[in-house]
Amino acid sequence: GDHYGTLRAIADAYGVGLLGGSSNAVNGDLSGAFGHSTTGSIGGVVTDSVTSAAIAGASVSYTGSKGSGSTTTDSGGNYAFGGVAPGSYTVTASASGHTTQTASVTVTAGTLSSKNFALVPTVGSISRTVKDAQTTVGLVGASVSCACGGSATTGTGGAYSIANVAP
């Protein structure tokens, strides 16, 4: 049954106040008796290692003997996992067009274990302009090639771009 009245009467008789920081003794609120969190969190930011720009929509996951989870980064490249049991975890971040990175993180109760990732792009591009050495006027229709295997033909003003170039 309901023993609140009995317990409250005993507590009052012996001068026992509310437990710790508890603000309400109704229904056995014992939150004040524990006073600390039993879980921690993992969080950080995922960025591009070349531009330092945040990577929105990157996949981030954690796994360990006490649990696992996954999420995607927000528009600022931020990610967070709350309610993670203390222990050792492997955190992995990946994004399209970037190499995947993995790191070890130790979670302690009541703290944020911060891990930022700077992912390396797997492809890039080369964009330049070809100009006449004497007149500095852009050359239209010039063929350009690189050791990367890509090639292009210059357009207006001598501009060209070669896409999908490995770093």
Side-chain angles (χ1 to χ4, degrees):
D2 181 8
H3 298 287
Y4 171 73
T6 304
L7 294 174
R8 186 73 248 151
I10 293 170
D12 288 341
Y14 289 97
V16 176
L18 296 175
L19 292 172
S22 178
S23 60
N24 181 3
V26 176
N27 297 324
D29 176 9
L30 300 177
S31 62
F34 300 104
H36 67 278
S37 176
T38 58
T39 62
S41 58
I42 303 169
V45 181
V46 179
T47 59
D48 182 291
S49 68
V50 174
T51 66
S52 298
I55 301 176
S59 297
V60 183
S61 63
Y62 75 93
T63 185
S65 63
K66 297 182 180 180
S68 63
S70 63
T71 190
T72 56
T73 57
D74 65 14
S75 61
N78 302 295
Y79 74 93
F81 299 104
V84 180
S88 296
Y89 295 89
T90 299
V91 181
T92 303
S94 62
S96 179
H98 294 79
T99 58
T100 298
Q101 287 187 11
T102 301
S104 295
V105 173
T106 300
V107 174
T108 304
T111 63
L112 166 66
S113 298
S114 181
K115 180 57 191 162
N116 296 328
F117 292 92
L119 303 183
V120 178
T122 54
V123 295
S125 64
I126 300 171
S127 297
R128 298 279 187 246
T129 303
V130 177
K131 295 182 179 182
D132 181 288
Q134 301 263 329
T135 65
T136 69
V137 174
L139 299 175
V140 177
S143 295
V144 179
S145 62
C146 72
C148 65
S151 62
T153 301
T154 60
T156 305
Y160 73 92
S161 183
I162 300 173
N164 298 318
V165 178

